[in-house]
Amino acid sequence: LKLARSPHPQPTMAAQLPCFVSEIAPRGFIRGWRLCVLLLLVCIWDFGGGVAAAAEPVEEELDADEEQYASPAPPASDDPIPDKVGVEIHMSKKERSSLKALDCSMCKAILTEMHIEVNKHGMTSKGWGSESQVWETSNAICLALLQKYKLNLTAPALDRKAEGEDDEYGMMGGAGGADVMRGMLVLKMGCQRWVEDYGGDMSGYIYRVVKDKSNTAEGAAQDFCVRHVNLCGKGRKEKQQKAREKEKGRQKVREAMVKKQEQEEAKQKEKDPFAALPEDSKFGLQRMLEMARDDPLHYMEDDAKERVRKARLELRCDVCRTVFEDVYSQVSSKPRALQREYDILPFMEGACEGGKDLSVPSYFGVEPPPLPPAWTDAVRPQLQKTPNAYALRPFGKKAAKKRSKWRKGTAEGNGKPPPAGESEGDMMMTLTCKDMLEPARMAEALYGQIAACGASGPACKAGLLAAADVCKAADGSACRFGGDEGSVSKAEL
């Protein structure tokens, strides 16, 4: 009943004790029926309205060093019950000061118990994931601390319990029972806050020390608490002050870096012509860019669309032959061991694209269309008078030189879009290439011709032979390719 009349009503002891018991009971702290009777009495007292209902909570000013031990405000009636209800209590200023004064003792006790537990269970020798087990142990180390130590708030001191000492008798033993229970709660809260501050560094340090067997439990505690976290030893306050000043310096550097980055981002936004547009306008432009990417003919004039449509039907044979010869020229420069069918397939799959266009940025997350393939730098579609049909003809020397310079610039992102006439020709050849491309079938045909050529070397016309074997016109008929001696078919070859 003295426990129920505690002057610290936040939260009620009826809420505190069951959760506290449920946490420490599996570890063997509470044994027997006597505590159950105590809990029953507390609950009856609480529900009867006798748990210090008239006590007013005292607001106390916190020192800077005591803020880490301050208890959180109790949850409102509509808030969900926190996980640690029954452990979180409202500590007095004296209790917070005591915990602050015991930083060194608590550090050494926790490190010692941690080292003993990890070494005892061989956690560092369990292979992959063993460090995670050490980290999980650090979260439960406070229960081991409660089992072996007790908090003396009078001195203050962290005393090791005598062998066989039982907390049950202390809690049931009259006037001092409430103090024993409260000391256990305060110690558990102080330990939890210490682990929150230093648990990450501690688990890594213990894992390394135990795995390497480089120090004893007491030696590891002394080394970590004195040299790593500056909680013990002479001049620890000065060391902590230096550490805080160093952290403030790093924080200022980080803030300066963030500020500089924000300024650079602001400058980039000023340069972006679309940054000031409203969101609906940005969405409209995004849709336009997506449509232009997915359907290149969508925004073209009707006469240009008709020219491209006509060229896609009439250029199939010429484009097919050009693709075969271009791929063969790339494959033939490789060692013989790299001229197999699955080595040829990637070249065929990329025959209709020339890589990413680095000269045009992506707007609103829409990437620009890829560059035209490299083989388009050697030929141009031209409309012949007789017959009235498109055919591929070589680039003129001057135009080819200019085109080669443009291609080099695109690799570095310095190129500009080609002239309007060239752009339309590039679209004709690229779309025709996509219409007739069958990578697997074409790679198989080219490999078969390369294998049939054997040791013929450069004299072998594997590209032309494969094209004559595979390429079809728009109407499905076999292609006949123009050469120096007139039109040539597969049968004539």
Side-chain angles (χ1 to χ4, degrees):
L1 295 180
K2 276 184 170 293
L3 190 61
R5 296 191 183 98
S6 169
H8 305 282
Q10 302 177 1
T12 65
M13 297 303 293
Q16 295 171 17
L17 289 176
C19 295
F20 180 66
V21 172
S22 67
E23 287 200 29
I24 64 176
R27 292 298 184 108
F29 293 107
I30 306 300
R31 300 181 301 275
W33 53 270
R34 292 185 299 275
L35 187 60
C36 296
V37 176
L38 174 64
L39 292 176
L40 180 60
L41 291 174
V42 170
C43 291
I44 293 173
W45 186 267
D46 188 15
F47 296 145
V51 186
E56 293 291 334
V58 181
E59 295 293 335
E60 298 171 346
E61 184 178 354
L62 303 183
D63 296 337
D65 292 339
E66 298 173 348
E67 290 182 356
Q68 59 175 319
Y69 297 104
S71 304
S77 58
D78 296 334
D79 294 341
I81 299 176
D83 293 338
K84 293 183 180 179
V85 66
V87 178
E88 300 288 343
I89 61 173
H90 182 78
M91 289 190 292
S92 65
K93 186 173 183 180
K94 179 183 177 182
E95 291 167 344
R96 293 193 298 270
S97 301
S98 299
L99 287 177
K100 185 62 183 175
L102 294 174
D103 269 345
C104 178
S105 301
M106 189 174 297
C107 177
K108 290 184 177 181
I110 292 175
L111 263 291
T112 302
E113 296 303 321
M114 186 78 172
H115 188 287
I116 293 172
E117 288 293 320
V118 172
N119 191 39
K120 177 181 177 181
H121 297 286
M123 295 182 185
T124 60
S125 59
K126 295 182 179 180
W128 184 86
S130 56
E131 190 168 358
S132 298
Q133 294 180 359
V134 177
W135 165 251
E136 292 169 0
T137 302
S138 69
N139 293 329
I141 198 64
C142 293
L143 298 178
L145 191 70
L146 283 174
Q147 189 177 16
K148 296 183 180 180
Y149 292 86
K150 60 183 178 181
L151 181 63
N152 184 352
L153 294 173
T154 306
L158 187 63
D159 301 328
R160 192 174 185 89
K161 292 179 181 178
E163 191 69 26
E165 183 176 345
D166 197 345
D167 292 318
E168 283 187 37
Y169 297 100
M171 289 185 291
M172 299 289 293
D179 295 335
V180 173
M181 173 61 79
R182 185 162 187 84
M184 294 175 68
L185 292 171
V186 172
L187 178 58
K188 190 169 190 295
M189 285 186 62
C191 177
Q192 285 177 339
R193 279 159 172 71
W194 192 96
V195 171
E196 289 174 1
D197 292 338
Y198 305 106
D201 296 336
M202 176 189 65
S203 61
Y205 175 81
I206 289 293
Y207 175 82
R208 185 174 64 254
V209 168
V210 175
K211 186 176 180 62
D212 298 341
K213 298 180 180 179
S214 59
N215 213 335
T216 62
E218 293 75 13
Q222 180 72 14
D223 179 64
F224 182 83
C225 298
V226 174
R227 296 183 178 87
H228 287 72
V229 293
N230 299 322
L231 293 178
C232 299
K234 295 181 179 179
R236 64 186 181 93
K237 290 187 177 180
E238 291 77 7
K239 292 179 181 178
Q240 291 175 359
Q241 181 64 26
K242 288 181 180 179
R244 285 194 289 265
E245 292 176 356
K246 190 175 182 180
E247 179 60 28
K248 287 182 180 179
R250 285 196 295 263
Q251 183 66 26
K252 288 182 179 179
V253 172
R254 286 194 291 268
E255 290 175 356
M257 293 174 64
V258 170
K259 186 177 180 180
K260 183 179 179 181
Q261 184 178 359
E262 290 175 349
Q263 290 175 350
E264 292 177 354
E265 290 177 354
K267 290 181 180 179
Q268 292 295 330
K269 287 183 179 180
E270 290 178 359
K271 294 180 181 179
D272 186 2
F274 302 112
L277 293 176
E279 291 300 322
D280 55 346
S281 299
K282 291 180 181 180
F283 180 75
L285 288 174
Q286 182 183 13
R287 291 291 303 134
M288 292 175 63
L289 291 173
E290 290 174 347
M291 293 176 66
R293 178 196 61 192
D294 300 335
D295 183 9
L297 302 179
H298 184 77
Y299 293 105
M300 294 181 68
E301 299 290 342
D302 291 340
D303 54 344
K305 289 182 181 179
E306 181 61 28
R307 290 194 298 270
V308 173
R309 185 198 64 79
K310 177 179 174 63
R312 291 174 70 175
L313 298 175
E314 298 170 352
L315 289 176
R316 288 176 68 99
C317 288
D318 286 353
V319 169
C320 184
R321 174 182 175 175
T322 305
V323 167
F324 266 111
E325 292 180 339
D326 178 68
V327 172
Y328 176 63
S329 67
Q330 296 180 65
V331 173
S332 60
S333 63
K334 305 291 182 183
R336 191 73 179 178
L338 298 179
Q339 295 182 12
R340 288 166 291 190
E341 184 175 345
Y342 59 84
D343 297 317
I344 299 173
L345 184 60
F347 291 100
M348 280 295 181
E349 291 174 338
C352 298
E353 294 184 357
K356 186 176 180 180
D357 190 355
L358 301 178
S359 62
V360 181
S362 61
Y363 291 106
F364 312 114
V366 181
E367 293 289 339
L371 294 169
W375 54 264
T376 60
D377 297 347
V379 291
R380 286 287 95 188
Q382 292 182 3
L383 182 61
Q384 307 297 308
K385 292 183 179 180
T386 307
N388 184 23
Y390 280 96
L392 294 185
R393 293 291 180 261
F395 243 130
K397 291 184 178 180
K398 187 176 180 180
K401 186 177 180 181
K402 186 177 179 181
R403 178 80 173 193
S404 177
K405 184 178 179 181
W406 170 81
R407 177 70 67 173
K408 291 179 181 178
T410 59
E412 301 173 355
N414 299 325
K416 297 180 180 179
E422 290 188 15
S423 296
E424 186 174 310
D426 290 336
M427 185 178 296
M428 291 178 179
M429 292 184 285
T430 301
L431 294 179
T432 305
C433 178
K434 293 180 179 180
D435 292 340
M436 64 84 197
L437 189 67
E438 298 178 71
R441 183 165 175 257
M442 295 171 71
E444 181 182 4
L446 183 57
Y447 172 70
Q449 293 299 334
I450 293 175
C453 283
S456 300
C460 177
K461 296 183 178 180
L464 181 57
L465 291 171
D469 189 24
V470 173
C471 296
K472 303 288 184 183
D475 58 1
S477 61
C479 291
R480 295 178 62 86
F481 299 111
D484 295 337
E485 299 179 357
S487 297
V488 183
S489 66
K490 169 66 177 173
E492 294 169 340
L493 285 170

Short mmCIF file of all heavy atoms in Angstrom, two decimals, residues 397-440:
data_model
loop_
_atom_site.label_atom_id
_atom_site.label_comp_id
_atom_site.label_asym_id
_atom_site.label_seq_id
_atom_site.Cartn_x
_atom_site.Cartn_y
_atom_site.Cartn_z
N LYS A 397 31.12 13.73 -99.89
CA LYS A 397 32.33 13.84 -99.06
C LYS A 397 32.24 14.98 -98.06
O LYS A 397 32.58 14.83 -96.90
CB LYS A 397 33.54 14.03 -99.98
CG LYS A 397 33.91 12.82 -100.81
CD LYS A 397 35.18 13.06 -101.60
CE LYS A 397 35.57 11.81 -102.40
NZ LYS A 397 36.81 12.03 -103.18
N LYS A 398 31.80 16.13 -98.52
CA LYS A 398 31.71 17.29 -97.63
C LYS A 398 30.67 17.05 -96.54
O LYS A 398 30.91 17.32 -95.35
CB LYS A 398 31.36 18.53 -98.45
CG LYS A 398 31.40 19.82 -97.65
CD LYS A 398 31.15 21.02 -98.55
CE LYS A 398 31.19 22.31 -97.74
NZ LYS A 398 30.94 23.50 -98.63
N ALA A 399 29.52 16.51 -96.95
CA ALA A 399 28.46 16.26 -95.97
C ALA A 399 28.87 15.14 -95.01
O ALA A 399 28.55 15.19 -93.81
CB ALA A 399 27.17 15.88 -96.70
N ALA A 400 29.59 14.14 -95.51
CA ALA A 400 30.03 13.03 -94.65
C ALA A 400 31.02 13.52 -93.59
O ALA A 400 31.00 13.07 -92.44
CB ALA A 400 30.64 11.93 -95.49
N LYS A 401 31.90 14.44 -93.99
CA LYS A 401 32.87 14.99 -93.05
C LYS A 401 32.17 15.79 -91.95
O LYS A 401 32.51 15.69 -90.76
CB LYS A 401 33.86 15.88 -93.81
CG LYS A 401 35.00 16.40 -92.96
CD LYS A 401 35.98 17.20 -93.81
CE LYS A 401 37.13 17.72 -92.95
NZ LYS A 401 38.09 18.53 -93.77
N LYS A 402 31.17 16.56 -92.36
CA LYS A 402 30.41 17.34 -91.39
C LYS A 402 29.63 16.43 -90.45
O LYS A 402 29.55 16.67 -89.24
CB LYS A 402 29.47 18.28 -92.15
CG LYS A 402 28.71 19.25 -91.26
CD LYS A 402 27.85 20.18 -92.11
CE LYS A 402 27.06 21.14 -91.22
NZ LYS A 402 26.19 22.03 -92.05
N ARG A 403 29.10 15.35 -91.02
CA ARG A 403 28.34 14.39 -90.21
C ARG A 403 29.25 13.67 -89.21
O ARG A 403 28.87 13.43 -88.06
CB ARG A 403 27.69 13.37 -91.13
CG ARG A 403 26.91 12.27 -90.44
CD ARG A 403 25.55 12.71 -90.03
NE ARG A 403 24.76 11.61 -89.49
CZ ARG A 403 23.45 11.63 -89.29
NH1 ARG A 403 22.78 12.75 -89.55
NH2 ARG A 403 22.81 10.59 -88.83
N SER A 404 30.46 13.34 -89.62
CA SER A 404 31.41 12.67 -88.72
C SER A 404 31.77 13.57 -87.55
O SER A 404 31.87 13.11 -86.40
CB SER A 404 32.66 12.28 -89.50
OG SER A 404 33.61 11.70 -88.66
N LYS A 405 31.92 14.85 -87.81
CA LYS A 405 32.22 15.80 -86.75
C LYS A 405 31.05 15.89 -85.77
O LYS A 405 31.24 15.97 -84.55
CB LYS A 405 32.53 17.17 -87.35
CG LYS A 405 32.95 18.22 -86.35
CD LYS A 405 33.27 19.54 -87.05
CE LYS A 405 33.68 20.60 -86.03
NZ LYS A 405 33.98 21.91 -86.69
N TRP A 406 29.85 15.89 -86.31
CA TRP A 406 28.66 15.93 -85.45
C TRP A 406 28.59 14.69 -84.56
O TRP A 406 28.27 14.77 -83.38
CB TRP A 406 27.41 16.01 -86.32
CG TRP A 406 26.13 15.82 -85.55
CD1 TRP A 406 25.47 16.75 -84.81
CD2 TRP A 406 25.39 14.60 -85.43
NE1 TRP A 406 24.35 16.19 -84.23
CE2 TRP A 406 24.27 14.87 -84.60
CE3 TRP A 406 25.55 13.32 -85.94
CZ2 TRP A 406 23.34 13.90 -84.28
CZ3 TRP A 406 24.61 12.35 -85.62
CH2 TRP A 406 23.52 12.64 -84.79
N ARG A 407 28.91 13.53 -85.11
CA ARG A 407 28.85 12.28 -84.34
C ARG A 407 29.83 12.30 -83.18
O ARG A 407 29.53 11.86 -82.07
CB ARG A 407 29.12 11.10 -85.26
CG ARG A 407 29.14 9.75 -84.57
CD ARG A 407 27.79 9.32 -84.11
NE ARG A 407 26.86 9.06 -85.19
CZ ARG A 407 25.64 8.54 -85.04
NH1 ARG A 407 25.20 8.25 -83.82
NH2 ARG A 407 24.84 8.35 -86.07
N LYS A 408 31.02 12.82 -83.39
CA LYS A 408 32.01 12.90 -82.31
C LYS A 408 31.52 13.83 -81.19
O LYS A 408 31.76 13.57 -80.00
CB LYS A 408 33.34 13.40 -82.86
CG LYS A 408 34.05 12.41 -83.76
CD LYS A 408 35.36 12.98 -84.29
CE LYS A 408 36.06 12.00 -85.22
NZ LYS A 408 37.32 12.56 -85.76
N GLY A 409 30.83 14.90 -81.57
CA GLY A 409 30.32 15.82 -80.56
C GLY A 409 29.22 15.21 -79.70
O GLY A 409 29.11 15.50 -78.51
N THR A 410 28.43 14.33 -80.28
CA THR A 410 27.34 13.71 -79.51
C THR A 410 27.87 12.80 -78.42
O THR A 410 27.23 12.63 -77.38
CB THR A 410 26.43 12.90 -80.44
OG1 THR A 410 27.21 11.88 -81.11
CG2 THR A 410 25.77 13.78 -81.48
N ALA A 411 29.05 12.19 -78.64
CA ALA A 411 29.62 11.30 -77.63
C ALA A 411 30.02 12.06 -76.37
O ALA A 411 30.03 11.50 -75.27
CB ALA A 411 30.83 10.56 -78.20
N GLU A 412 30.32 13.36 -76.51
CA GLU A 412 30.73 14.18 -75.38
C GLU A 412 29.60 15.08 -74.89
O GLU A 412 29.79 15.86 -73.96
CB GLU A 412 31.92 15.05 -75.79
CG GLU A 412 33.13 14.23 -76.25
CD GLU A 412 34.23 15.10 -76.81
OE1 GLU A 412 34.00 16.33 -76.91
OE2 GLU A 412 35.30 14.57 -77.15
N GLY A 413 28.44 14.99 -75.51
CA GLY A 413 27.31 15.83 -75.11
C GLY A 413 27.40 17.24 -75.63
O GLY A 413 26.67 18.12 -75.15
N ASN A 414 28.27 17.48 -76.60
CA ASN A 414 28.44 18.84 -77.13
C ASN A 414 27.77 19.05 -78.48
O ASN A 414 27.83 20.13 -79.04
CB ASN A 414 29.93 19.16 -77.28
CG ASN A 414 30.66 19.10 -75.96
OD1 ASN A 414 30.10 19.45 -74.92
ND2 ASN A 414 31.90 18.63 -75.97
N GLY A 415 27.19 17.99 -79.04
CA GLY A 415 26.60 18.09 -80.36
C GLY A 415 25.28 18.83 -80.36
O GLY A 415 24.63 18.99 -79.34
N LYS A 416 24.89 19.27 -81.54
CA LYS A 416 23.60 19.91 -81.73
C LYS A 416 22.75 19.02 -82.63
O LYS A 416 23.28 18.16 -83.34
CB LYS A 416 23.77 21.30 -82.37
CG LYS A 416 24.55 22.27 -81.49
CD LYS A 416 24.67 23.62 -82.19
CE LYS A 416 25.45 24.61 -81.32
NZ LYS A 416 25.59 25.93 -81.98
N PRO A 417 21.43 19.20 -82.61
CA PRO A 417 20.59 18.39 -83.51
C PRO A 417 21.02 18.60 -84.96
O PRO A 417 21.40 19.70 -85.37
CB PRO A 417 19.19 18.93 -83.25
CG PRO A 417 19.26 19.54 -81.89
CD PRO A 417 20.64 20.09 -81.75
N PRO A 418 20.98 17.53 -85.77
CA PRO A 418 21.34 17.68 -87.19
C PRO A 418 20.35 18.57 -87.92
O PRO A 418 19.25 18.84 -87.42
CB PRO A 418 21.29 16.23 -87.70
CG PRO A 418 20.41 15.52 -86.75
CD PRO A 418 20.59 16.17 -85.43
N PRO A 419 20.69 19.08 -89.11
CA PRO A 419 19.76 19.92 -89.87
C PRO A 419 18.44 19.21 -90.14
O PRO A 419 18.33 17.98 -90.05
CB PRO A 419 20.52 20.19 -91.17
CG PRO A 419 21.96 20.00 -90.81
CD PRO A 419 21.99 18.95 -89.78
N ALA A 420 17.41 20.01 -90.50
CA ALA A 420 16.07 19.46 -90.66
C ALA A 420 16.03 18.35 -91.71
O ALA A 420 15.38 17.32 -91.53
CB ALA A 420 15.09 20.58 -91.03
N GLY A 421 16.73 18.54 -92.82
CA GLY A 421 16.72 17.53 -93.87
C GLY A 421 17.33 16.22 -93.40
O GLY A 421 16.81 15.13 -93.68
N GLU A 422 18.43 16.31 -92.67
CA GLU A 422 19.06 15.10 -92.16
C GLU A 422 18.20 14.42 -91.10
O GLU A 422 18.15 13.19 -91.02
CB GLU A 422 20.44 15.42 -91.59
CG GLU A 422 21.48 15.79 -92.64
CD GLU A 422 22.87 15.92 -92.06
OE1 GLU A 422 23.07 15.45 -90.93
OE2 GLU A 422 23.74 16.49 -92.73
N SER A 423 17.53 15.21 -90.30
CA SER A 423 16.68 14.63 -89.25
C SER A 423 15.57 13.80 -89.87
O SER A 423 15.25 12.70 -89.39
CB SER A 423 16.08 15.73 -88.38
OG SER A 423 17.09 16.43 -87.69
N GLU A 424 14.97 14.30 -90.95
CA GLU A 424 13.90 13.54 -91.61
C GLU A 424 14.45 12.26 -92.23
O GLU A 424 13.82 11.20 -92.13
CB GLU A 424 13.24 14.40 -92.68
CG GLU A 424 12.02 13.75 -93.31
CD GLU A 424 11.31 14.69 -94.27
OE1 GLU A 424 11.04 15.84 -93.87
OE2 GLU A 424 11.03 14.28 -95.41
N GLY A 425 15.63 12.33 -92.82
CA GLY A 425 16.25 11.14 -93.39
C GLY A 425 16.61 10.12 -92.31
O GLY A 425 16.43 8.91 -92.49
N ASP A 426 17.12 10.62 -91.18
CA ASP A 426 17.43 9.72 -90.07
C ASP A 426 16.17 9.01 -89.57
O ASP A 426 16.20 7.81 -89.26
CB ASP A 426 18.06 10.51 -88.92
CG ASP A 426 19.46 11.00 -89.25
OD1 ASP A 426 20.11 10.39 -90.12
OD2 ASP A 426 19.90 11.99 -88.63
N MET A 427 15.05 9.75 -89.51
CA MET A 427 13.81 9.13 -89.06
C MET A 427 13.35 8.07 -90.04
O MET A 427 12.88 6.99 -89.63
CB MET A 427 12.74 10.22 -88.88
CG MET A 427 11.44 9.68 -88.29
SD MET A 427 10.21 10.98 -88.02
CE MET A 427 11.05 11.97 -86.79
N MET A 428 13.46 8.35 -91.34
CA MET A 428 13.08 7.35 -92.34
C MET A 428 13.86 6.05 -92.15
O MET A 428 13.28 4.96 -92.11
CB MET A 428 13.35 7.90 -93.75
CG MET A 428 12.45 9.02 -94.19
SD MET A 428 12.94 9.60 -95.84
CE MET A 428 11.71 10.88 -96.14
N MET A 429 15.18 6.15 -92.01
CA MET A 429 16.01 4.95 -91.91
C MET A 429 15.80 4.25 -90.56
O MET A 429 15.75 3.01 -90.50
CB MET A 429 17.47 5.33 -92.09
CG MET A 429 17.81 5.79 -93.50
SD MET A 429 19.58 6.11 -93.76
CE MET A 429 19.75 7.66 -92.88
N THR A 430 15.66 5.01 -89.49
CA THR A 430 15.50 4.40 -88.16
C THR A 430 14.18 3.65 -88.06
O THR A 430 14.13 2.51 -87.58
CB THR A 430 15.58 5.48 -87.07
OG1 THR A 430 16.84 6.15 -87.16
CG2 THR A 430 15.45 4.86 -85.69
N LEU A 431 13.08 4.26 -88.53
CA LEU A 431 11.78 3.60 -88.46
C LEU A 431 11.74 2.39 -89.39
O LEU A 431 11.14 1.36 -89.05
CB LEU A 431 10.68 4.59 -88.81
CG LEU A 431 10.48 5.75 -87.82
CD1 LEU A 431 9.36 6.68 -88.29
CD2 LEU A 431 10.16 5.22 -86.43
N THR A 432 12.36 2.50 -90.57
CA THR A 432 12.41 1.35 -91.48
C THR A 432 13.20 0.21 -90.85
O THR A 432 12.84 -0.97 -90.97
CB THR A 432 13.06 1.76 -92.81
OG1 THR A 432 12.34 2.88 -93.35
CG2 THR A 432 13.03 0.61 -93.80
N CYS A 433 14.29 0.54 -90.16
CA CYS A 433 15.11 -0.47 -89.49
C CYS A 433 14.28 -1.20 -88.43
O CYS A 433 14.32 -2.44 -88.34
CB CYS A 433 16.33 0.19 -88.87
SG CYS A 433 17.40 -0.93 -87.95
N LYS A 434 13.51 -0.47 -87.64
CA LYS A 434 12.68 -1.10 -86.62
C LYS A 434 11.59 -1.95 -87.23
O LYS A 434 11.18 -2.96 -86.66
CB LYS A 434 12.08 -0.03 -85.70
CG LYS A 434 13.12 0.70 -84.86
CD LYS A 434 12.48 1.75 -83.98
CE LYS A 434 13.53 2.46 -83.11
NZ LYS A 434 12.93 3.49 -82.25
N ASP A 435 11.09 -1.55 -88.42
CA ASP A 435 10.04 -2.33 -89.08
C ASP A 435 10.54 -3.71 -89.51
O ASP A 435 9.82 -4.70 -89.40
CB ASP A 435 9.52 -1.57 -90.30
CG ASP A 435 8.75 -0.31 -89.93
OD1 ASP A 435 8.31 -0.21 -88.76
OD2 ASP A 435 8.61 0.58 -90.79
N MET A 436 11.77 -3.78 -90.04
CA MET A 436 12.22 -5.04 -90.63
C MET A 436 13.13 -5.86 -89.70
O MET A 436 13.46 -6.99 -90.02
CB MET A 436 12.96 -4.76 -91.95
CG MET A 436 14.24 -3.95 -91.83
SD MET A 436 15.66 -4.97 -91.43
CE MET A 436 16.84 -3.76 -90.86
N LEU A 437 13.52 -5.31 -88.54
CA LEU A 437 14.52 -5.98 -87.69
C LEU A 437 13.95 -7.22 -87.03
O LEU A 437 12.91 -7.17 -86.37
CB LEU A 437 15.03 -5.00 -86.63
CG LEU A 437 16.23 -5.49 -85.81
CD1 LEU A 437 17.46 -5.61 -86.69
CD2 LEU A 437 16.51 -4.56 -84.64
N GLU A 438 14.65 -8.34 -87.19
CA GLU A 438 14.39 -9.60 -86.49
C GLU A 438 15.73 -10.08 -85.95
O GLU A 438 16.43 -10.86 -86.61
CB GLU A 438 13.78 -10.64 -87.42
CG GLU A 438 12.44 -10.24 -88.01
CD GLU A 438 11.91 -11.30 -88.97
OE1 GLU A 438 11.50 -12.38 -88.49
OE2 GLU A 438 11.94 -11.05 -90.19
N PRO A 439 16.13 -9.65 -84.77
CA PRO A 439 17.51 -9.89 -84.30
C PRO A 439 17.92 -11.35 -84.29
O PRO A 439 19.01 -11.69 -84.79
CB PRO A 439 17.49 -9.30 -82.88
CG PRO A 439 16.39 -8.30 -82.89
CD PRO A 439 15.36 -8.86 -83.81
N ALA A 440 17.09 -12.24 -83.74
CA ALA A 440 17.50 -13.64 -83.61
C ALA A 440 17.67 -14.30 -84.98
O ALA A 440 18.67 -14.98 -85.24
CB ALA A 440 16.46 -14.40 -82.78
#
